Amino acid sequence: MTEIPNRITVKEWDRRFAEDAAKLMDAHVPYLKPLTAYVEEGDTRLTRLKFDPSPASLWLWNFLLSENERLSAKLEDGHRLVGTMKDLGTVPVMAYSLPNLTAFYPDGAWWIPCIMEANASALKAAEELGINESVCPVRAMVGAIAAESDFPVPGLMVCAVGATCDDFSALAQFINGLGHAIHWWELPHRRAPAAGEESVTLQGGLSAPASLVSFVVEQLAEIRKALSKYAGSELTDEALRLGITEANRARSLIREIRNAVFSSKKRLLSAVDLLIAEMLIIHFCSDRDECIRLFEAILSEVRQREAVEPDSDAVRIFWVNPPSDIKAMNILEDCGMRLCGTDFMFTHSLSAIPEDLPPLEALAMCVLADPMIGPTRDRAGMITAESRRLGAEGIVVSRIPGASHCAFEGSIIKELAGEELDIPVLELEIPPVCDAYEQSMRGRLEALRETVIARRTSQ
Amino acid sequence: MKACGFTPLPIYSPSDEYPAANEPVPTEGRCPWSRAFEDMIEQSEFAAVIMTTTCDQMRRTAELLEQDRGDIITLTVPSTTSISSMRLYQSELRRLASFLTSRSGTPPTSGAILGAAASIRPRASQKAARTPVCLLGSHLPVPFDVFEAILEEHGACIAIDGMEAGPAFAPSLDDFTEGASLEGTINALGEAYFSQIKDSFSRPNSAFYRWLSLELKSAAPKGIIIARNCWCDKWAIEGIRIREWTGLPTLELEFTSGELSVSAISRLEAFMETCRND
């Protein structure tokens, strides 16, 4: 019999809202409301999802879905908004080191077509500009900025280009062409050091030439100047150190949550909630302090469950790439599987930023550990190592429609994981709304589960 | 490359001498040119292969090729235009020189680099008395002269050759001089090339549009042809802006396989009819 985890729908949550809100009273979450309120605002995908039933999860979804309101409120309070693009985790650490800056990723608009389904005006706006579905769902970012829908347009945009997706680079240039100024910076291709070349060791066992670290330090120094000018106050080394310490608090908490969930024999958190919680780390969902409080609440919930939940025999899956439709996480669990590891393209933002180095150098080391800027084989190696460590029984590589890296990485991951671990690897293309393909997806995931179960039986 | 004793062979399309070995199988998300290039390299014997990071598809193709071979180097060509990016580019050229020396055994000298620079001439298009068009884009499924002949058959002449391998983006090296040392010469070469990059992949790519604006005024083409491969995101998205910005009839000629299809030629025919009638 396929084990299905305990999850809750939006309607069921409405019925118990008062009870859950009371449990969060001491946490002081003034923006808490029934999730159907967001459905009425257009986030209709919520009605097709199943969530973790904990009060911490209610807090998580409220925190996520209230972000745009929070950004508007910050503007009214005199904050200045920074749109950070593509680096997924480093520039916000710098921005949040200044008290009047709030940073967020306009890239996050790529989930608007999922969460808002047919209501997604950002996609329509992008199409009106000529950008159609042959381009990755991140095209919604262009529509959102052009139409000034979904989030306030930031006064400063800081965009990483170079060893980045061509579609994102071209879309950012398109935004620039619409008249929005962008501070461009170079995210260089991470190559292996040559024999005899001075090198540094990065997170995840990666290495890079020391000269590249110096280059990225120069890039970050220019970003520091731009942020300082925009904020009207200097971003000092001291302020950066404090900002790094706070970012590390958040990173430490999300690592603890992930480690607890992935290494446990029990189901400690619903997959879709873990996905969202993990995504928060890249820019703290526009409120670093609140993000830290929320992570503490989630970790507390996870610890409590460790003590009382029964063991689970769900098939353990390592998931690669964020799915364009987050419902895929529900479907994974419906098929009797659970997450035991993830690489959502920003593993470099989960690790601790070194606090014993000059701050820009420490941040440069994080930048260069980005799994997407170096050879895919490096990334595949890290995925394989983590899969081994966490006891993954299978790997799912989620393909993003229109994304160029997806055309290359699946075969490399299959080859490496296949050679070293001998576990099945499934590539699954997941569009922003997967309903039309759901039966086919379920079929393939169920086949993956059956393959793993058969292997368990034969071992 | 010349200074290290090699004969440089720029490859921007399959040719009779270096054909794509297999008919590229359309792969979701992978541009057919990158697949054709991978085939060509695997089937041919080059003493060294130099690839760059100017497009993500080729960067990842380079990774695939580098896995099992030591004769490939991927040069970082920065997208941004700062002084720091120029210094990165210069260091990449020095790294290229070391790599080529290790392959050929012939270290470059300043004099050899200067001589090589003087001998490089960009291709020239025939400007016959036909309907002038502006040609932009990256890689073609057929050699350039074959494509040019097809355009001529349909009444077009290439008044502006803005292809990535074309004369528009070949820097002028008239002012390039030898440095005080080999490193100085390589740095000067790097500066000469870097300062003249006006490709559309630059960020920002305002230099590309400044160049295009001047060329359009001077050559007054009747239309623009953007020749690009399927899954080439950079040109697909840039094409939207070019079309709107110029206001000229614009044909996006998309290649989905390793050949110039009948439908592509039909589209060219129809486009030239439009240009002649405008």
Side-chain angles (χ1 to χ4, degrees), chain B residues 88-104:
Chain B
L88 175 64
Y89 181 66
Q90 288 167 324
S91 78
E92 285 292 277
L93 291 185
R94 294 194 299 274
R95 188 168 72 92
L96 175 64
S98 296
F99 168 78
L100 292 170
T101 302
S102 73
R103 303 294 304 169
S104 70

Side-chain angles (χ1 to χ4, degrees), chain A residues 129-131 134-135 161-167 169-171 173-174 176-177 184-186 188-189 191 212 215 218-219 372-377 399 402 404-405 407-408 412 429, chain B residues 27-30 34 53-57 59-61 63-64 67 74 76-80 82 84-85 87-88 92 95 201-206 231 233-234 237-238 240-241 244:
Chain A
L129 291 167
I131 303 169
S134 68
V135 179
V161 287
T164 60
C165 303
D166 285 344
D167 48 7
S169 170
L171 289 171
Q173 177 61 71
F174 195 94
N176 186 215
W184 303 99
W185 65 282
E186 191 80 26
H189 171 64
R191 61 172 176 86
L212 266 192
F215 172 75
E218 289 176 352
Q219 300 297 296
M372 308 306 291
I373 69 169
T376 306
R377 205 155 181 87
R399 291 177 62 115
S404 54
H405 61 92
F408 294 85
I412 294 174
E429 174 143 323
Chain B
T27 304
E28 185 79 8
R30 183 158 185 200
S34 72
T53 59
T54 55
C55 100
D56 209 34
Q57 296 271 355
R59 173 168 75 95
R60 295 188 182 279
T61 300
E63 287 170 22
L64 288 179
Q67 266 169 217
T74 304
T76 291
V77 176
S79 296
T80 54
S82 65
S84 154
S85 291
R87 285 199 291 263
L88 175 64
E92 285 292 277
R95 188 168 72 92
F201 70 77
S202 278
R203 299 286 178 257
N205 62 8
S206 30
W231 302 111
D233 297 317
K234 281 188 173 169
I237 295 167
E238 207 65 56
I240 300 167
R241 188 162 167 230
E244 194 192 316

Side-chain angles (χ1 to χ4, degrees), chain A residues 307-365:
Chain A
V308 301
E309 287 289 315
D311 284 1
S312 162
D313 70 350
V315 164
R316 297 168 61 82
I317 294 295
F318 191 105
W319 191 284
V320 178
N321 291 335
S324 309
D325 187 348
I326 60 178
K327 191 180 174 191
M329 297 284 97
N330 284 167
I331 296 172
L332 177 78
E333 290 177 328
D334 291 347
C335 294
M337 297 188 275
R338 53 171 282 218
L339 291 180
C340 79
T342 56
D343 175 338
F344 291 139
M345 292 167 56
F346 54 84
T347 49
H348 60 302
S349 295
L350 297 168
S351 301
I353 306 164
E355 294 188 45
D356 55 350
L357 293 174
L360 288 188
E361 188 181 330
L363 291 168
M365 307 264 286

Side-chain angles (χ1 to χ4, degrees), chain A residues 52 56 88-89 91 130 143 159 162 179 202 211 236 241 266 268 276 279 301 309 330 334 346 360 377 386 429 439 457:
Chain A
D52 191 278
L88 298 186
V91 177
C159 183
L202 308 169
S211 59
T236 61
R241 281 187 218 282
K266 309 175 185 199
L268 298 183
I276 298 301
M279 295 299 280
E301 181 69 39
E309 287 289 315
N330 284 167
D334 291 347
F346 54 84
L360 288 188
R377 205 155 181 87
E386 275 296 278
E429 174 143 323
Q439 284 314 308
T457 309

Side-chain angles (χ1 to χ4, degrees), chain B residues 30-71:
Chain B
R30 183 158 185 200
C31 104
W33 165 249
S34 72
R35 180 66 200 275
F37 184 84
E38 185 188 353
D39 282 344
M40 273 191 273
I41 298 302
E42 283 176 347
Q43 301 298 324
S44 308
E45 285 186 15
F46 294 105
V49 179
I50 291 100
M51 299 180 71
T52 74
T53 59
T54 55
C55 100
D56 209 34
Q57 296 271 355
M58 291 303 274
R59 173 168 75 95
R60 295 188 182 279
T61 300
E63 287 170 22
L64 288 179
L65 289 167
E66 272 173 349
Q67 266 169 217
D68 304 311
R69 317 164 59 124
D71 57 355

Side-chain angles (χ1 to χ4, degrees), chain A residues 369-398:
Chain A
D370 183 332
M372 308 306 291
I373 69 169
T376 306
R377 205 155 181 87
D378 283 356
R379 188 183 183 211
M382 291 193 293
I383 289 166
T384 302
E386 275 296 278
S387 294
R388 178 187 290 115
R389 185 179 75 82
L390 294 164
E393 296 173 287
I395 296 175
V396 172
V397 180
S398 169

